[in-house]
Amino acid sequence: MVDLIEKKKELRAKAMKLPLLPGVYLMHNKKDEIIYVGKAKVLKNRVSQYFGSDKNHEEKVRRMIENVDYFEYIVTDSEFEALVLENSLIKQNQPKYNILLKDDKGYSYIRVSGGDWPRISEVKQVANDGAQYIGPYMSSWSIKETIDSARKIFRLPNCNRRFPEDFGKGRPCLYYYIKQCSAPCRGKMHRDEYQEAFQEAMDFIKGGSSGSIKALTEKMEQAAENLDFELAARLRDRIRAIDKVKERQKVVASKEKEQDVIAMAQGPRHTAFEVFRFTNHRLSDRESFVTEGCEDNAESRSEFIRQYYAMRDEIPSLLLMDGEVADEELVIRWLAEKRGKAVKIHVPQRGEQLQLVEMCRNNAAESLARQLGNSGREASALDELKRLLGLASVPEYIESYDISNLAGGENVAGMVVFENGRPLKSAYRKFKIKTVEGQDDYGSMREVIRRRFEEYRIHKDENEGFGRLPDLILLDGGKGHVAAIRPLLEQMGIDVPVFGMVKDDKHRTRAIAVTGGEIAIHSTRTAFTLVSKIQDEVHRFAIGYHRQQRKKSTISSTLLSIEGVGEARAKALMKHFRTVSAVQQAELIELELAPGMNKPSARKVYEYFHGKTEE
């Protein structure tokens, strides 16, 4: 630790001697490997920031700094030249701590197997296996979508069963019952009928939906004229299925002829980027990338754009983004020079374009969820909550508090914890209010928060339980609760964002409270669902503890009213018999044998419930 501190001091001293000029800096480790490449408008200011206080550094940046042995720099004539050089050096050296995108983009093919019962599938390579291959295609996503649509429309099987060998071997799968497969496995479908459906599927793949509808409509009309109503009905169903696919495609249609939509979602230690590519107003391709680290959003978007389009030859005239892009003018200039035409970056605030961005962001959250192993809705909710509250990072660890009492009596509080959007019940805690008399929710909340963070000071080296600092505190209450708690945290030196959860007159979550007012949450947002879940859970937990205390109080008053029974004996009786009812029903001999009891006290208890008895 001492060596690391000394090393940072040494590197900072060298950084303070750098020129006040634009340029590129390269961080090296002890193995002389380049582990990070960055650009700067002013080299001295940017590089020296790394080796000062690490309070505002992300975890990934802190890890990078710990591994820096020395740095070098290259002065450039302008910040734009620095950006171009930075891109080149990142591509050349693939530094560990830069955003690195794995370019798995390659050609895709449609494979058509041979035989009397052919199948279609998407593959990356052509094999010498006697099958027919159609392609190549650049977008594997669009090919998969097309094949999937063709299978569903024309009800072709998507399983490993072989025909006719597997006829009648087992029941049809779920796809048959939801009318997405004709189930040749039943053995009741003629080969000619299957081949007809298969050929129509191939026409759909090659000619598109419009051509298929025209051809199928002609066949349907001809079948109706020939009074073959069964065939006409089957063709009608296929036409309707194609129409449904077209309607679904319209949902993600773009008013711009060509544009890319880029959005990001952040988890505790990873960032996911999603790209929707539109050609001729239609979604033509999708790509997902998950990278390590959660750096500043604007910086991350800027670096992603440059890395992504360094791998792609096609750059559209418009990029829709989900937020601010650092060095936007420089990035636009770089894109325009690479494209040979003007490029615009736009952050939509309303309308259809905003809907496309939100859809893209939700898909980024789904990709992130697959990486983290939790549901896409939870990842999306946490990312949305971060943006809604203006947090520096995703609130991986959330603590929530609620006060419960009855006219100031049995004053208690409950604390619940949500980790990665899910309840962490092992970290739940109960508080019995000790210093506040009567109904004073603000005073009670201050006591609870003070006690919780006094425990943090004692156990912070353990980094679990009370020793772990939350990323966010949510109080069940309005701006008054927030105003009561924030000064206390500042006084204690605790830097954790605090917000309230406000309910409407029907006891449903409607807003998040801040010191100066409220932030409304729309009920359709994923963040709304998460906040509502947290508020309901902390209320349930606090109310449950309050009822438990009231019950104990009632029990204690019953047993303590018996002559010869003090707190210790009452507690021992309840531990042994579990309930007052069981104490009441116990025989005298059972009471005498109970822990902590003697014959006189046992008789007093027995007579309290059953009346006087003779010796």
Side-chain angles (χ1 to χ4, degrees):
M1 186 66 180
V2 176
D3 291 343
L4 179 60
I5 294 172
E6 291 300 319
K7 188 67 179 179
K8 284 180 66 175
K9 287 182 179 178
E10 177 191 331
L11 291 169
R12 181 170 174 79
K14 291 180 179 179
M16 295 301 291
K17 297 177 182 178
L18 291 177
L20 298 172
L21 296 170
V24 173
Y25 54 92
L26 300 88
M27 303 291 189
H28 292 256
N29 62 13
K30 290 182 179 180
K31 297 179 182 178
D32 202 29
E33 299 169 334
I34 297 174
I35 59 174
Y36 186 75
V37 175
K39 70 158 187 65
K41 188 175 183 179
V42 179
L43 281 165
K44 176 184 175 181
N45 296 348
R46 183 71 184 98
V47 178
S48 61
Q49 287 177 355
Y50 286 106
F51 308 113
S53 172
D54 62 359
K55 183 178 179 181
N56 296 321
H57 291 328
E58 297 290 342
E59 177 62 27
K60 182 180 177 182
V61 177
R62 284 197 288 269
R63 291 203 311 270
M64 184 271 288
I65 294 169
E66 289 173 1
N67 286 281
V68 175
D69 185 59
Y70 72 96
F71 63 83
E72 58 181 330
Y73 66 94
I74 303 170
V75 175
T76 58
D77 291 335
S78 67
E79 193 180 359
F80 180 71
E81 283 189 16
L83 181 143
V84 174
L85 180 58
E86 178 196 29
N87 288 345
S88 176
L89 290 171
I90 290 173
K91 188 174 182 180
Q92 179 182 338
N93 295 284
Q94 296 287 292
K96 179 179 180 179
Y97 292 102
N98 285 96
I99 290 179
L100 300 177
L101 306 182
K102 182 182 178 182
D103 186 12
D104 56 358
K105 199 75 172 174
Y107 293 114
S108 293
Y109 298 84
I110 297 174
R111 181 181 183 273
V112 183
S113 67
D116 293 335
W117 303 85
R119 304 288 189 95
I120 48 176
S121 58
E122 183 264 343
V123 294
K124 291 290 186 184
Q125 293 181 335
V126 175
N128 187 18
D129 56 1
Q132 177 189 356
Y133 289 86
I134 305 171
Y137 300 95
M138 279 299 297
S139 172
S140 61
W141 172 81
S142 62
I143 292 302
K144 288 176 183 176
E145 286 286 299
T146 302
I147 291 175
D148 187 52
S149 296
R151 284 176 180 150
K152 291 176 180 177
I153 292 168
F154 300 98
R155 301 177 67 180
L156 298 177
N158 182 26
C159 61
N160 295 322
R161 294 183 180 181
R162 300 176 63 189
F163 309 129
E165 293 92 334
D166 292 337
F167 280 170
K169 293 182 181 179
R171 298 175 61 186
C173 64
L174 176 65
Y175 289 104
Y176 169 70
Y177 295 102
I178 61 175
K179 300 186 184 303
Q180 290 186 4
C181 179
S182 54
C185 55
R186 294 181 304 155
K188 295 182 179 180
M189 186 179 192
H190 195 272
R191 179 191 61 187
D192 294 341
E193 185 182 342
Y194 179 90
Q195 290 181 349
E196 179 186 0
F198 184 85
Q199 188 55 52
E200 288 172 354
M202 292 303 300
D203 292 340
F204 170 82
I205 291 171
K206 294 176 181 178
S209 56
S210 298
S212 286
I213 288 178
K214 184 179 179 181
L216 290 172
T217 302
E218 291 175 358
K219 286 185 180 180
M220 180 183 70
E221 292 172 352
Q222 186 63 46
E225 286 183 15
N226 296 336
L227 303 181
D228 190 348
F229 298 116
E230 183 178 347
L231 174 59
R234 191 162 63 244
L235 294 169
R236 178 205 60 200
D237 291 342
R238 289 172 184 169
I239 293 169
R240 286 178 178 174
I242 294 173
D243 284 333
K244 284 183 180 179
V245 169
K246 290 177 70 177
E247 287 300 317
R248 191 168 68 243
Q249 290 173 343
K250 286 180 184 177
V251 173
V252 287
S254 165
K255 66 179 184 180
E256 297 288 335
K257 185 176 181 181
E258 290 186 350
Q259 69 175 5
D260 286 356
V261 183
I262 300 175
M264 62 186 289
Q266 289 189 325
R269 286 170 290 276
H270 293 81
T271 300
F273 294 93
E274 188 81 11
V275 183
F276 283 180
R277 311 205 74 176
F278 287 88
T279 307
N280 293 325
H281 304 283
R282 291 180 57 185
L283 181 63
S284 59
D285 202 0
R286 268 182 59 186
E287 292 185 82
S288 301
F289 303 88
V290 177
T291 66
E292 282 195 26
C294 300
E295 298 173 7
D296 175 76
N297 287 356
E299 291 287 346
S300 294
R301 291 188 190 98
S302 177
E303 190 170 351
F304 174 80
I305 289 172
R306 287 180 279 129
Q307 290 292 308
Y308 178 75
Y309 289 107
M311 305 186 306
R312 300 287 175 264
D313 294 327
E314 295 179 1
I315 300 175
S317 59
L318 177 63
L319 268 63
L320 288 188
M321 305 297 301
D322 65 333
E324 181 184 352
V325 177
D327 304 316
E328 184 175 315
E329 291 183 6
L330 297 177
V331 172
I332 288 174
R333 181 179 169 186
W334 178 78
L335 289 169
E337 287 195 4
K338 192 172 190 304
R339 181 174 185 258
K341 294 181 181 178
V343 176
K344 181 181 177 182
I345 292 178
H346 178 56
V347 182
Q349 302 299 317
R350 58 184 176 273
E352 293 178 1
Q353 296 287 67
L354 178 59
Q355 291 176 6
L356 286 177
V357 168
E358 289 180 344
M359 187 185 300
C360 189
R361 184 189 291 129
N362 290 337
N363 279 270
E366 289 285 351
S367 299
L368 187 63
R370 287 193 294 272
Q371 182 80 18
L372 299 177
N374 62 344
S375 77
R377 183 168 292 274
E378 288 156 357
S380 177
L382 289 171
D383 183 66
E384 190 175 89
L385 189 61
K386 171 203 166 189
R387 289 181 282 104
L388 188 68
L389 302 182
L391 304 179
S393 59
V394 171
E396 176 186 1
Y397 196 81
I398 302 173
E399 288 182 1
S400 183
Y401 297 83
D402 188 19
I403 304 296
S404 183
N405 58 58
L406 183 62
E410 299 300 334
N411 210 354
V412 299
M415 176 191 105
V416 303
V417 174
F418 275 61
E419 186 174 34
N420 290 326
R422 295 182 177 183
L424 183 64
K425 295 196 174 183
S426 62
Y428 285 17
R429 295 293 183 268
K430 300 171 183 175
F431 297 83
K432 192 169 184 178
I433 305 303
K434 299 176 180 179
T435 63
V436 177
E437 296 291 337
Q439 192 165 357
D440 181 0
D441 285 1
Y442 295 164
S444 298
M445 190 67 82
R446 278 194 294 268
E447 179 191 322
V448 170
I449 297 297
R450 176 180 52 77
R451 287 165 56 188
R452 185 264 179 266
F453 287 103
E454 283 175 351
E455 288 294 317
Y456 168 72
R457 287 172 172 172
I458 297 170
H459 301 285
K460 61 183 179 181
D461 292 336
E462 300 170 13
N463 199 32
E464 61 181 12
F466 279 148
R468 182 173 181 179
L469 206 62
D471 301 315
L472 172 66
I473 293 175
L474 293 176
L475 309 176
D476 189 3
K479 58 185 179 182
H481 281 82
V482 178
I485 296 307
R486 279 190 172 170
L488 173 63
L489 291 176
E490 290 173 6
Q491 182 184 340
M492 298 182 74
I494 302 297
D495 184 19
V496 176
V498 179
F499 295 87
M501 299 178 292
V502 186
K503 292 183 178 178
D504 59 19
D505 53 2
K506 295 182 180 178
H507 216 64
R508 296 176 301 193
T509 307
R510 68 170 177 80
I512 293 179
V514 296
T515 305
E518 295 179 356
I519 302 171
I521 315 180
H522 199 277
S523 60
T524 58
R525 307 292 289 268
T526 54
F528 171 85
T529 305
L530 176 61
V531 173
S532 297
K533 187 177 178 181
I534 292 172
Q535 189 169 28
D536 291 343
E537 177 68 359
V538 72
H539 184 70
R540 177 200 66 78
F541 188 63
I543 284 287
Y545 182 42
H546 175 65
R547 288 172 179 162
Q548 182 184 1
Q549 290 300 111
R550 285 175 57 195
K551 187 176 179 182
K552 281 185 178 179
S553 177
T554 303
I555 291 168
S556 297
S557 62
T558 300
L559 295 178
L560 289 173
S561 64
I562 303 173
E563 184 184 349
V565 177
E567 286 190 18
R569 274 204 177 121
K571 200 174 288 185
L573 280 171
M574 287 305 300
K575 186 176 181 180
H576 182 69
F577 289 101
R578 301 298 179 112
T579 66
V580 173
S581 178
V583 175
Q584 181 180 355
Q585 294 172 16
E587 296 295 334
L588 181 58
I589 186 66
E590 292 178 286
L591 291 169
E592 290 174 350
L593 296 174
M597 297 296 287
N598 55 33
K599 287 188 176 184
S601 60
R603 180 166 291 280
K604 291 290 184 183
V605 173
Y606 187 80
E607 288 179 349
Y608 178 84
F609 291 111
H610 300 283
K612 287 279 185 179
T613 61
E614 295 185 9
E615 290 288 343

